[in-house]
Amino acid sequence: MANRYDDDKFADLVRDFVRGRVNRREFIVRGAQLGLSAAVLARMTRPSRAAANLIDSDPVSPFESPITPERVAFLKTKPYKGTTINVMVCKLTVGDCVKYHVPHWEEATGGKVNVAEIPIETLHTQIFSDLSSGLGKYDAYMPGCWFYGDFFVPDNPYIVPLESFLADPKHSYWDPSQWIPSQGKLYHWNGKLYGALLDGDCQALYYRKDIFDNKEHQDKFKAKYNYDFPAPPKTMKEYHDVADFFTGWDWNGDGENDWGISLHAKVNEQGFFHFLTLSGPYVVSPDNEYYFFNPETMKPLINSEGHLRALEDYVKFLANGPREQIAWTLGQGWNLFLAGHSATEPTWGDLPTLAQDPKTSKVQGKMGAAPVPGTTEAFNPITGQWKKYDLNQVGNTNGGTWHLVLSRLSKKQEATYDFMSFMANKKNAVWNAATGWTGVQPGMKFEYFPPLGDGSVAQWKKLGWNEDDVVEYLSAYYKVLSNPVSQEYLRIPGTAEYWHELDVNVSAVLGGQMQPKAALDATAAAWEKITDRYGREKQKALYKASFA
Amino acid sequence: MVARGGHSVAGSSFDRRHTRGRELAALRIRRLERGAAFKYALLLPAVLWVVAFTFFPLISVIHYSFANYVLGEGITGYVGFANYADVLTSEQFWHSIWVTVIYVAVAVPIELVLGFLAAWLVNLGAPGSRAFRTIIGSPLFTLEVAIGYLGVTFFSVQGGLIAVPLGALGIDIPWMSTAWGGIAASILLDVWRWTSFIFIIVLAGLAGISSDLYDAAVLDAKSHWQVMWSLAIPLSWPVITIAVLLRTVECLKVFAIPFALTTGGPGTSTQPFSAMDYLTTIQFFDFGKGSAMGIVFLIMVSAVITLFFKQMRKSLA
């Protein structure tokens, strides 16, 4: 575009298109008037189903859209009548989401699905006991993405690739090319697809927009910290100041003192993801992509100067939230924000989706969202140098990105894949991502607004979303997922164990039982032992493969 | 002997043959009984059971304790005593032993005192004893893991049934966010769960004391407390000892309540030995280190239990 003025006009146009105020044709015409290629605009806004021989929907399976004619014919035969598949899911909201789709799939195919819900703390054990013992009681499992490496330790991996099933039009249609690349990577191993779309995790910063926009608060902040209120904070220093500012006084006027931040930091309950996310910009930068290991030696990087400064800064946040948050599970952490008592929370997209339920949330329509704040200086643990940046903001895919994988031991792989693909179908995928209690976040382009995808605000509003909240949420979420400087996601064998060591040591620092330096050194020492147990050379090769 | 139709057939050749047959059978059984084979045959099921479920697993655990085990590959090599060295130099291991010892040292005596007093009162026929007997037993039938999760709703500052009223009274205890708070909360739940176990055993012991002895003691003693100290406790001492032994052994294996309540945190500060061994062996499939850990703990517990038995024999002598 020619100038800043046109840039703003295009942003307005996109906003109008997203909100359904202009249609696709008008969007292309007005975009072309601004000097953009009509062909590019048309391509950007193209409905995804144009890629295949698809029909919008068919009464034979009302929960699928789009659908292939071959599938319509296939479903008419009730192909899986008499077939029962067993699926192991995590006892989290994502597990409930899978259960939600079971009757719909059963109705469409005649098959039956038994869903076993396993608590997160024993999920890894249950999955790999079933596989390594050769029992193969389950046809599909729902691992966190950090379990992936363990599936590939045997020469014949425990899970099977999905491409051959995907190519068969009798199964429910879904399009892996729609993945935002950072998300699609987590469903693949060495270039092969192993997972069917369900979840798409990353952590972003969520904040109270109404409180941040309050002029009185902004003035008070400026008086106290001598600079303009950063709404939202872009650096960690700003974030610490904002969290500190909103701590210990009644900024929402309900008679109770409120907090600057809410964390869910319970050990063994995914609490360490906070540290992973918030420490990313201290180590990862345009000059260094490695956060966990030196890929040449498999020596841990976790006790580098950058990680240490990150942990020392992370601990400071404790004073800005309730003391008990170090023992809070996800739900407890979210509750504080949803009840209106916390100004910010760095967490998953569950928070803004849960905020849309007025029964449990006081913050609908008040959600702000932004990428996690960055740093102005990052440590490169490979070269051992600090380097200054204007702003080093780092994307991430931290979380479970929970989805189903197909067991090599399953004797009903066709039927099992069919169930997996049913949930990956666009209609179900959009519903999953837009519905709060499912715990599913958007990882596909079509779930976003144009020009990236073909979603619309109207579609989300229909599912109970506040218009401003969804625009804020998806905009920030995409920025995190598409940041070219992104924190790596560890997927090598033993990741659960590596992360457990980090988890308990970070938790010990939060609990005041260890100093940050000692905790990170202990973590590095434990990681060395784990690497040696699995075999350093093998781990090195798989670490590199996990980047492929 | 009466044959069909009521006619006596005593002295018939059939009867003689039959009697002779029975005698021969009895003789064979007597011979068999005298023979080693029969004895071994009777012992065989028990021996098989012990071999299958005690001896074989123990040998297997010892074998694994010298091995390097990797999920998906199995044993990848033997490492000598490296797993033992790793365990014995692990701060986390010794901390988990310390947590377990505190747990046993605090929970078992509290349960013993409360269980004994409750049994004593019920045995005296205190008002409401029948209903109390039913109520006190109910936690025993509740899953420990459920009690642990229930504990979160008791001790959380977000609407906890115990934490909130105490907080309102100005007693602000960091149950879930500190090591001592987490251990104290776990012990309270454990006491709630297991006091009834002591109660039931001791009540049976007290009920076994002759009522004549009670009547005589009541005449001589100044109070019920004196009767308790000088009669009930000494006479039910063998039963109390067994109750303490069983409870101690069970408590050394404590896992579900603290793990469900705090998941061992903050850090590993509330993690008992069983939870650490579970995570190492079952969660992360490090059978080598987990087995070494189990063997070290077995040796330690065996030493304690042996001392306990010696002490018990002395006190009963």
Side-chain angles (χ1 to χ4, degrees):
Chain A
M1 260 163 285
N3 54 42
R4 174 66 202 253
Y5 174 70
D6 284 349
D7 219 16
D8 291 345
K9 277 180 86 173
F10 183 65
D12 289 343
L13 179 62
V14 168
R15 195 171 306 115
D16 286 349
F17 181 53
V18 164
R19 294 179 183 202
R21 290 175 193 145
V22 297
N23 61 25
R24 181 169 174 258
R25 177 184 291 270
E26 200 179 337
F27 175 76
I28 295 168
V29 170
R30 284 171 54 187
Q33 286 165 356
L34 289 170
L36 288 164
S37 155
V40 170
L41 290 168
R43 193 178 158 79
M44 279 159 61
T45 56
R46 185 181 63 189
S48 61
R49 66 176 173 278
N53 174 28
L54 296 167
I55 50 178
D56 229 10
S57 62
D58 190 280
V60 74
S61 185
F63 290 93
E64 288 176 67
S65 173
I67 188 167
T68 62
E70 291 87 345
R71 177 150 179 88
V72 171
F74 183 59
L75 289 179
K76 281 181 180 157
T77 66
K78 292 285 170 201
Y80 299 119
K81 199 169 180 189
T83 303
T84 300
I85 60 171
N86 297 309
V87 176
M88 185 193 287
V89 301
C90 188
K91 196 173 170 55
L92 290 174
T93 46
V94 273
D96 293 336
C97 175
V98 170
K99 279 168 68 182
Y100 168 83
H101 293 289
V102 165
H104 304 154
W105 182 81
E106 289 179 344
E107 174 81 32
T109 65
K112 188 170 168 16
V113 185
N114 291 327
V115 178
E117 290 179 282
I118 308 295
I120 188 167
E121 57 269 28
T122 56
L123 183 67
H124 183 268
T125 305
Q126 297 284 337
I127 290 176
F128 289 97
S129 296
D130 191 49
L131 287 167
S132 62
S133 65
L135 273 177
K137 207 174 138 195
Y138 295 92
D139 300 287
Y141 309 92
M142 179 190 273
C145 277
W146 68 92
F147 298 3
Y148 251 70
D150 294 325
F151 289 122
F152 295 93
V153 176
D155 293 335
N156 186 11
Y158 285 130
I159 54 177
V160 294
L162 304 181
E163 277 90 354
S164 60
F165 301 102
L166 185 75
D168 189 340
K170 75 177 183 220
H171 294 302
S172 194
Y173 175 78
W174 65 288
D175 179 5
S177 74
Q178 284 286 305
W179 254 313
I180 294 168
S182 60
Q183 276 296 311
K185 202 168 137 183
L186 298 179
Y187 286 75
H188 290 75
W189 186 270
N190 259 345
K192 285 186 185 168
L193 175 72
Y194 284 91
L197 167 72
L198 189 65
D199 192 13
D201 277 335
C202 75
Q203 290 198 327
L205 175 67
Y206 299 99
Y207 60 92
R208 285 288 298 277
K209 204 161 185 258
D210 56 326
I211 302 295
F212 275 35
D213 288 346
N214 184 311
K215 182 76 174 61
E216 200 182 318
H217 296 161
Q218 291 176 351
D219 292 343
K220 270 192 199 171
F221 181 92
K222 190 169 184 179
K224 188 171 177 186
Y225 298 95
N226 290 322
Y227 67 97
D228 286 337
F229 184 89
K234 285 197 171 56
T235 65
M236 282 295 169
K237 185 196 175 299
E238 289 175 354
Y239 189 16
H240 278 283
D241 287 344
V242 167
D244 179 58
F245 175 71
F246 285 114
T247 298
W249 56 284
D250 179 21
W251 42 255
N252 64 6
D254 68 351
E256 286 179 46
N257 284 348
D258 300 303
W259 303 98
I261 193 170
S262 178
L263 300 170
H264 34 78
K266 189 174 188 177
V267 71
N268 288 318
E269 295 272 0
Q270 306 187 73
F272 70 99
F273 276 117
H274 278 309
F275 174 66
L276 283 188
T277 300
L278 295 174
S279 63
Y282 292 81
V283 180
V284 179
S285 68
D287 301 297
N288 171 53
E289 61 178 323
Y290 300 107
Y291 178 92
F292 296 104
F293 295 97
N294 182 325
E296 299 311 318
T297 60
M298 276 308 280
K299 289 279 176 199
L301 305 175
I302 197 70
N303 54 346
S304 79
E305 286 178 39
H307 292 86
L308 178 60
R309 189 182 292 178
L311 184 52
E312 286 166 348
D313 280 359
Y314 177 53
V315 175
K316 291 176 194 160
F317 278 123
L318 277 187
N320 305 131
R323 178 173 54 181
E324 208 192 30
Q325 65 186 338
I326 68 170
W328 275 356
T329 56
L330 293 178
Q332 289 173 301
W334 292 334
N335 281 344
L336 190 78
F337 187 94
L338 296 173
H341 295 302
S342 174
T344 70
E345 183 160 3
T347 188
W348 289 292
D350 303 65
L351 188 67
T353 39
L354 289 167
Q356 305 311 309
D357 181 356
K359 277 182 274 177
T360 52
S361 160
K362 290 182 178 172
V363 295
Q364 190 182 27
K366 300 170 181 173
M367 293 294 303
V372 172
T375 56
T376 52
E377 193 179 23
F379 184 77
N380 183 334
I382 304 292
T383 61
Q385 300 289 316
W386 285 96
K387 187 172 174 184
K388 291 202 182 297
Y389 299 90
D390 289 339
L391 178 62
N392 181 45
Q393 266 186 322
V394 172
N396 70 78
T397 48
N398 287 333
T401 301
W402 304 95
H403 60 267
L404 293 181
V405 293
L406 185 52
S407 169
R408 186 226 307 160
L409 304 176
S410 169
K411 292 183 175 63
K412 297 157 193 164
Q413 292 185 347
E414 282 273 345
T416 309
Y417 172 77
D418 198 276
F419 176 59
M420 290 159 65
S421 64
F422 180 81
M423 290 181 291
N425 178 264
K426 185 176 173 185
K427 184 172 182 180
N428 286 326
V430 170
W431 186 90
N432 291 342
T435 305
W437 61 262
T438 61
V440 169
Q441 271 72 60
M444 298 297 246
K445 291 175 195 162
F446 61 69
E447 290 160 324
Y448 290 82
F449 304 137
L452 179 68
D454 59 0
S456 70
V457 171
Q459 189 181 24
W460 287 72
K461 272 178 82 175
K462 221 165 96 182
L463 289 164
W465 275 76
N466 172 278
E467 188 174 325
D468 293 328
D469 285 359
V470 70
V471 173
E472 281 275 332
Y473 165 47
L474 290 186
S475 161
Y477 211 78
Y478 180 66
K479 278 181 194 160
V480 176
L481 288 179
S482 61
N483 191 332
V485 181
S486 189
Q487 190 173 14
E488 60 169 304
Y489 191 102
L490 192 65
R491 295 200 297 166
I492 57 176
T495 296
E497 199 176 348
Y498 287 114
W499 279 1
H500 173 76
E501 293 296 339
L502 178 64
D503 189 13
V504 294
N505 286 316
V506 168
S507 172
V509 173
L510 297 181
Q513 290 126 25
M514 278 180 117
Q515 291 303 309
K517 175 88 174 81
L520 293 179
D521 285 346
T523 306
W527 283 17
E528 279 285 81
K529 283 182 186 166
I530 299 166
T531 301
D532 286 337
R533 183 159 70 84
Y534 277 88
R536 190 167 295 271
E537 290 308 312
K538 277 186 193 168
Q539 289 296 80
K540 207 196 300 182
L542 288 165
Y543 186 53
K544 285 179 176 168
S546 73
F547 278 91
Chain B
M1 182 173 278
V2 177
R4 256 176 288 172
H7 301 290
S8 170
V9 289
S12 69
S13 63
F14 168 80
D15 187 48
R16 280 198 301 276
R17 277 201 307 275
H18 189 64
T19 309
R20 176 75 184 143
R22 280 195 304 188
E23 283 169 357
L24 282 172
L27 189 67
R28 270 190 219 114
I29 288 170
R30 277 201 297 277
R31 277 184 192 153
L32 264 176
E33 279 175 351
R34 275 199 296 271
F38 185 72
K39 286 178 193 164
Y40 290 138
L42 286 179
L43 277 174
L44 192 62
V47 170
L48 283 178
W49 180 273
V50 170
V51 167
F53 297 109
T54 306
F55 189 69
F56 177 71
L58 184 64
I59 295 296
S60 181
V61 167
I62 293 170
H63 171 224
Y64 276 122
S65 73
F66 293 105
N68 187 61
Y69 186 95
V70 173
L71 170 68
E73 289 186 276
I75 292 176
T76 58
Y78 290 91
V79 293
F81 285 90
N83 287 327
Y84 287 94
D86 211 8
V87 168
L88 294 171
T89 54
S90 159
E91 272 182 43
Q92 277 187 22
F93 171 76
W94 289 111
H95 181 77
S96 74
I97 297 288
W98 178 236
V99 170
T100 309
V101 168
I102 291 176
Y103 207 93
V104 173
V106 178
V108 175
I110 294 175
E111 286 158 15
L112 176 66
V113 171
L114 292 180
F116 184 89
L117 287 176
W120 171 249
L121 289 173
V122 168
N123 194 53
L124 281 181
S129 293
R130 200 176 285 264
F132 179 75
R133 200 186 309 214
T134 311
I135 292 165
I136 196 176
S138 56
L140 208 53
F141 302 102
T142 312
L143 281 176
E144 283 201 346
V145 70
I147 291 175
Y149 285 125
L150 197 64
V152 177
T153 66
F154 288 168
F155 297 108
S156 170
V157 292
Q158 282 183 322
L161 293 175
I162 291 175
V164 170
L166 285 177
L169 295 172
I171 307 167
D172 185 15
I173 299 172
W175 295 105
M176 308 289 281
S177 56
T178 58
W180 68 266
I183 292 174
S186 298
I187 287 174
L188 281 176
L189 292 172
D190 194 274
V191 167
W192 179 55
R193 165 77 154 83
W194 284 104
T195 296
S196 49
F197 175 79
I198 303 275
F199 165 82
I200 289 166
I201 293 183
V202 173
L203 185 62
L206 291 175
I209 299 171
S210 160
S211 57
D212 294 344
L213 288 173
Y214 274 121
D215 294 341
V218 166
L219 286 176
D220 289 345
K222 288 176 187 160
S223 67
H224 281 299
W225 292 112
Q226 204 179 349
V227 175
M228 187 180 86
W229 279 113
S230 48
L231 178 83
I233 291 179
L235 288 183
S236 58
W237 190 246
V239 175
I240 292 171
T241 315
I242 292 298
V244 170
L245 177 68
L246 291 175
R247 189 63 206 109
T248 302
V249 169
E250 194 61 36
C251 202
L252 284 166
K253 296 185 288 183
V254 62
F255 172 71
I257 289 177
F259 201 66
L261 184 68
T262 65
T263 58
T268 54
S269 60
T270 59
Q271 182 174 276
F273 167 78
S274 298
M276 189 185 179
D277 203 14
Y278 160 79
L279 287 169
T280 308
T281 316
I282 307 297
Q283 183 98 332
F284 306 126
F285 295 89
D286 188 352
F287 287 177
K289 192 172 163 191
S291 299
M293 215 178 270
I295 296 289
V296 171
F297 190 67
L298 181 70
I299 292 167
M300 287 160 57
V301 171
S302 300
V304 172
I305 299 298
T306 308
L307 280 175
F308 189 92
F309 269 120
K310 268 191 183 169
Q311 208 59 37
M312 191 176 94
R313 271 192 222 108
K314 262 190 208 166
S315 68
L316 293 178

